[in-house]
Amino acid sequence: MVKQLCILGSTGSIGTQTLEVVRAYPDRYSVYAICAHRSIDKLIAQAREFHPEVVCIADESLYEPLRDALADLPIKVWAGADAIAEVVTMPSIHVVVAAMVGYAGLRPTIEAIKAGKTIALANKETLVVAGEIICDLATQFHTPILPVDSEHSAIFQSLVGEDQCEIEKILLTASGGPFRTFTLEQMRSVTAADALKHPNWEMGAKITIDSASMMNKGFEVIEAKWLFGVPVEKIQVLVHPQSIVHSAVQFTDGAIKAQLGAPDMRLPIQYALSFPERLASDFPRADLFALQSLTFEQPDLKRFPNLALAYEAMRRGGNMPCVLNAANEVVNLAFRQGRCGFLQMSDIINETMAKANFIAKPTYEDYVNSDAAARRLAESLL
Ligand code: MG
């Protein structure tokens, strides 16, 4: 059977690499729908190559040029957030690849879960913001959520065949990013251009900044808690600069299982699509002889307070992770635009969390309101 995919964020880093997997396995995967925020030229080129049924653009002002550019093809062209929330529910779709950036991924992911689509989840903000609602819905609608994030794919792969076994600890690895060895003094003056030079991974701009500040790792701790049902106290972050061990699970007998490989997102993407099978690939292999050594360090919470803020948000619970995410989206963009210093990002997130209204048992509406209020608060602190 050919699996029909809906790719949310098809023009981004995960989206384009998902299409590479589709290109390699046209007999297994077909593109039913692609959605992008505003990269219209890339979206048009993808539509011309993959001939999806539906092409969707989030930015409604780009609807007409997109429609006109595809007028000679039998493709439905839609626009806007409501259209994206609808496209994911279309009956022919088997798998929704959720690879939009940030909070915008929440609503379509919820709609896809309710429609019973298998979710290949790359948008970690969805679980950071509303992990409890997402997990409850996935249980209620019997919807599988397969992780695409490399660390969570590694944990997932380590857990295959271990259903009966208790997890003692999750060992979540982090590259440490471009400022791993910087002093606080050096970090004070780094720019977005410095932060965008990630040593090991090629990623989109937002997540690359989150990696440099280690907020990405904080989010991944929260993501792991929800995906694997492990309390955050049992999730240990290890800085592993070689990015070869993608994460590991320690069981109650002391055994540690890990997944290793070259840092290449196509592998976890392909595994999420092919699970429980493994498909052959020509992706680069990790050469263990060339590597010589694999090293592991404790993360430094003084230089990377975002990691501590993420644990704090989870300890407080309720809408706090949502507030954490909203404040981070504001400062991340401000830093890229030169409106905020690197270290100032953590200060503003911290202050936003301190001043935000706490809601212990948020509904979906509460999340929407908390997100908007935290954004306003963080903006006012810039
Ligand atoms: Mg990751």
Side-chain angles (χ1 to χ4, degrees), residues 124 149-151 216-217 220:
K124 67 193 76 183
D149 209 345
S150 61
E151 295 80 358
N216 182 56
K217 209 48 58 179
E220 290 183 354

Side-chain angles (χ1 to χ4, degrees), residues 42-55:
K42 259 189 175 174
L43 191 62
I44 291 165
Q46 291 177 345
R48 294 206 160 271
E49 179 180 355
F50 291 95
H51 294 100
E53 287 290 316
V54 187
V55 172

